[in-house]
Amino acid sequence: MNHDNDHRDKALLRIDGVSVRFGGIVALDGVSFDVQHGQICGLIGPNGAGKSTLFNCLSRLYNCNAGRIDFDGHALSTMPRHRMAGIGIGRTFQNLALFRTMTVRENALVGCHSRHHAGFLRNAFRLPGAARIEAEAHARADTLIDFLELGSVADRTVADLPFGTQKRVELARALASEPKLLLLDEPAAGLNHEELENLGALIRDIRDRLNVTVLLVEHHMSLVMGVSDKVVALNFGKKIAEGTPAQVRAHPEVIRAYLGADEEVAA
């Protein structure tokens, strides 16, 4: 039996009939879709469509009222929130999740230790393996600093850096935990035109060079359509379309959700 083929055929992330309610408000209503290993999947929809709710379910910040989410063969509902990095899910946030008084390198190291949190305990008690874990963390941080072109600011305090650079630091922190799946929450927000152009290439590099599967929530339609292998569209908590960027862009329900008129969503 070829286990490699088995691995490829199984979805890395399976969202199956997920519903979330807040009191009388239905935030997600029976949403189902898969994300395959090595895929870049874009999640789109107007404000209030349920995208952030779904991301918060994937981060275990919210629980589902119905349905299930499986990641790499494990039911997420059985996992405590602090295990998310350990099982291979990394995330960036709309509002930067950084230690602003620490340097770029220190932020990346925090990401490394979120995967190997035992390293802190080993260091505290000088247990065997502490030096090796620390050396591996520094090597990983240095690799990501080079990959994200942060070398010139590696030892500067994050708070002193421009917003676009801070967003790359947050990517370094999220990637430092060696995720199998990276959740990108509106990575284009606040970027200038040049930074936006570079972001699409960077997301592809993360998939191609670091072998990380990507699920992307983003309002910037040209970025999503340009970088995604597959796009899932939500509206009022329901999935209204799923397919290639071209299929979803031309889907009548998507056009209505965004424009209220029968014309293609601009890419």
Side-chain angles (χ1 to χ4, degrees):
M1 182 184 287
N2 188 332
H3 291 291
D4 285 346
N5 283 338
D6 288 352
H7 175 77
R8 273 199 300 274
D9 291 342
K10 282 183 189 161
L12 178 64
L13 178 68
R14 176 155 287 157
I15 293 161
D16 185 12
V18 167
S19 296
V20 176
R21 291 185 301 278
F22 301 110
I25 297 168
V26 179
L28 288 173
D29 188 0
V31 172
S32 299
F33 66 91
D34 291 351
V35 181
Q36 302 297 323
H37 289 269
Q39 210 167 39
I40 298 173
C41 179
L43 188 60
I44 65 168
N47 286 329
K51 306 182 300 295
S52 293
T53 300
L54 183 58
F55 256 38
N56 285 332
C57 290
L58 293 171
S59 301
R60 296 285 289 116
L61 298 172
Y62 297 163
N63 289 318
C64 308
N65 295 106
R68 63 181 282 151
I69 300 173
D70 291 325
F71 173 71
D72 205 19
H74 305 285
L76 272 198
S77 60
T78 65
M79 297 283 173
R81 193 180 305 164
H82 66 266
R83 286 282 320 281
M84 291 299 97
I87 66 168
I89 297 179
R91 177 177 180 177
T92 66
F93 292 82
Q94 290 177 38
N95 303 312
L96 294 171
L98 290 168
F99 296 95
R100 290 174 52 77
T101 59
M102 292 165 62
T103 67
V104 170
R105 192 184 309 280
E106 287 165 344
N107 270 274
L109 284 168
V110 167
C112 295
H113 285 302
S114 71
R115 172 91 178 191
H116 304 291
H117 53 273
F120 280 133
L121 290 174
R122 282 199 180 87
N123 278 338
F125 298 108
R126 291 291 178 263
L127 296 175
R132 178 183 56 79
I133 286 174
E134 199 60 26
E136 286 173 358
H138 278 272
R140 173 79 179 163
D142 286 345
T143 297
L144 288 169
I145 284 166
D146 287 344
F147 175 74
L148 293 161
E149 298 180 356
L150 291 164
S152 62
V153 295
D155 297 308
R156 286 183 58 188
T157 304
V158 166
D160 297 336
L161 298 173
F163 181 76
T165 307
Q166 289 188 27
K167 290 205 102 164
R168 277 186 287 134
V169 177
E170 195 192 22
L171 264 178
R173 179 201 52 75
L175 290 167
S177 64
E178 300 178 60
K180 298 170 189 169
L181 174 69
L182 179 63
L183 307 176
L184 293 178
D185 196 354
E186 299 198 24
L191 297 186
N192 64 36
H193 182 70
E194 185 185 356
E195 289 165 340
L196 191 59
E197 283 192 348
N198 292 336
L199 178 60
L202 179 56
I203 292 170
R204 275 191 289 268
D205 272 353
I206 287 168
R207 190 267 307 274
D208 296 340
R209 291 172 55 189
L210 301 184
N211 196 29
V212 176
T213 303
V214 177
L215 180 59
L216 164 75
V217 163
E218 183 52 68
H219 284 291
H220 203 288
M221 206 56 63
S222 63
L223 174 67
V224 178
M225 297 301 180
V227 80
S228 300
D229 302 304
K230 168 167 121 169
V231 177
V232 175
L234 302 180
N235 196 23
F236 297 116
K238 293 189 182 212
K239 183 179 81 174
I240 58 171
E242 176 179 359
T244 65
Q247 288 167 336
V248 170
R249 191 166 55 229
H251 195 287
E253 289 240 29
V254 175
I255 293 162
R256 272 196 293 276
Y258 275 96
L259 302 174
D262 289 328
E263 54 181 294
E264 266 198 23
V265 176

